[in-house]
Amino acid sequence: MNYQVNLLPVELQPRPPIGPKKIALAVILVLLFGCLGFAYGYFSIQLSTVKGEISFLSQEQDRLKKTEARIKELHQEQQAMQEQIKTLSKLLDDRKTWPKMLLSINQSVPDSVWISKLALTGSPAPTANSTEGKKETTTQNQGNSQQAAKPSAKEVVNQLTSVGVNQANQPKSGNSSNNGESQDKPKVPETAPNFVVIEGGSYSLEGIGKFVYSLNRLVYLASVELAEITQDETGKYNFIIKAPLKEGVND
């Protein structure tokens, strides 16, 4: 067995050749560190991108919150405007009804009758009872004997009105001629004002009766009542007519 002894210093001794295992190990380590560096760089870039997106989304969230608050305000304004539109529509409907009602009343006035005052009030105080109404005479300045023998003007007008109403309610249609039994009286709204008060004059009881009869046929009024009638020294009859408004009439 031969032994070779290298007496040269270590720094002068030749290096042993690099084997394939070392080369493979070195390649693996280089690749591993390269992958780690690439992954670190890639994730760093992605992290920076995500942070930018988070910042952008935060700004968008703040902007969307302001937009949402504005949308809520607009929605509330829209609801308020819808309520105003409903109120205005109701007022316009009521406004359209009044000219028609006044025109109908005007068309119902006979030639021998005139209106001196037309007012809309709340529920009026109870008028004089039937016994007091019968005591009212058509000629206040005539003798007591003529008053006792002659019926009051109010009774004459009521008779004329009842005759016209009965004629109008004869079996032309299926309606009953008795207003108090089969025909439902329209409900009068409780909110004031809901009573029409008409004051006027005439020299003809028949004209006043025709006027009351025509008012009874209007769709706007219910239970037209000749509340008061008097006669002055000139022979002119002064009357007051009261009637509640019908509820829900928008024709």
Side-chain angles (χ1 to χ4, degrees):
M1 180 179 293
N2 295 325
Y3 293 98
Q4 293 181 357
V5 179
N6 192 353
L7 300 176
L8 293 173
V10 178
E11 58 271 8
L12 296 178
Q13 291 181 4
R15 295 180 179 179
I18 300 174
K21 291 183 178 179
K22 291 183 177 181
I23 294 174
L25 180 62
V27 170
I28 291 172
L29 291 175
V30 169
L31 291 175
L32 179 63
F33 282 108
C35 290
L36 290 176
F38 176 77
Y40 176 77
Y42 175 78
F43 284 112
S44 297
I45 294 173
Q46 290 295 322
L47 180 62
S48 176
T49 304
V50 170
K51 287 182 178 179
E53 290 179 354
I54 290 174
S55 176
F56 175 75
L57 291 176
S58 298
Q59 295 176 357
E60 285 293 315
Q61 184 179 10
D62 295 337
R63 187 178 66 83
L64 290 176
K65 285 182 179 180
K66 295 178 180 179
T67 305
E68 183 183 6
R70 180 58 180 165
I71 290 174
K72 289 181 179 180
E73 292 178 359
L74 291 175
H75 183 64
Q76 293 176 355
E77 291 178 359
Q78 182 183 11
Q79 290 181 343
M81 291 178 65
Q82 288 178 350
E83 292 296 329
Q84 292 178 356
I85 290 172
K86 290 180 181 179
T87 304
L88 290 175
S89 299
K90 185 178 182 301
L91 291 175
L92 288 175
D93 291 339
D94 295 341
R95 188 177 179 182
K96 287 188 295 186
T97 302
W98 285 108
K100 292 181 179 180
M101 186 187 73
L102 295 176
L103 180 61
S104 299
I105 293 176
N106 181 59
Q107 293 174 348
S108 301
V109 180
D111 295 335
S112 59
V113 177
W114 62 88
I115 295 177
S116 59
K117 181 180 178 181
L118 191 149
L120 186 67
T121 63
S123 300
T127 59
N129 54 29
S130 60
T131 58
E132 292 177 353
K134 291 180 181 179
K135 292 179 182 178
E136 293 180 355
T137 60
T138 60
T139 56
Q140 296 178 352
N141 297 324
Q142 293 181 359
N144 293 330
S145 60
Q146 293 180 356
Q147 293 178 358
K150 193 174 182 180
S152 65
K154 188 172 182 179
E155 292 176 348
V156 173
V157 174
N158 289 334
Q159 290 176 2
L160 293 172
T161 305
S162 61
V163 170
V165 172
N166 291 333
Q167 290 177 354
N169 292 330
Q170 282 181 353
K172 242 195 251 185
S173 58
N175 295 332
S176 172
S177 62
N178 192 344
N179 294 330
E181 295 179 358
S182 61
Q183 185 178 359
D184 294 335
K185 292 183 179 180
K187 294 182 180 179
V188 179
E190 296 180 359
T191 56
N194 57 0
F195 264 79
V196 174
V197 179
I198 302 174
E199 298 181 11
S202 175
Y203 287 97
S204 171
L205 290 177
E206 183 179 359
I208 298 175
K210 289 180 179 179
F211 184 39
V212 175
Y213 167 70
S214 299
L215 292 177
N216 269 307
R217 300 188 63 183
L218 296 182
V219 296
Y220 308 100
L221 304 177
S223 303
V224 179
E225 175 190 1
L226 182 61
E228 182 180 343
I229 183 169
T230 58
Q231 186 181 29
D232 58 17
E233 63 276 4
T234 63
K236 182 183 72 173
Y237 296 100
N238 299 309
F239 61 86
I240 297 177
I241 296 174
K242 295 180 181 180
L245 294 175
K246 285 185 180 179
E247 185 179 6
V249 177
N250 290 320
D251 295 337

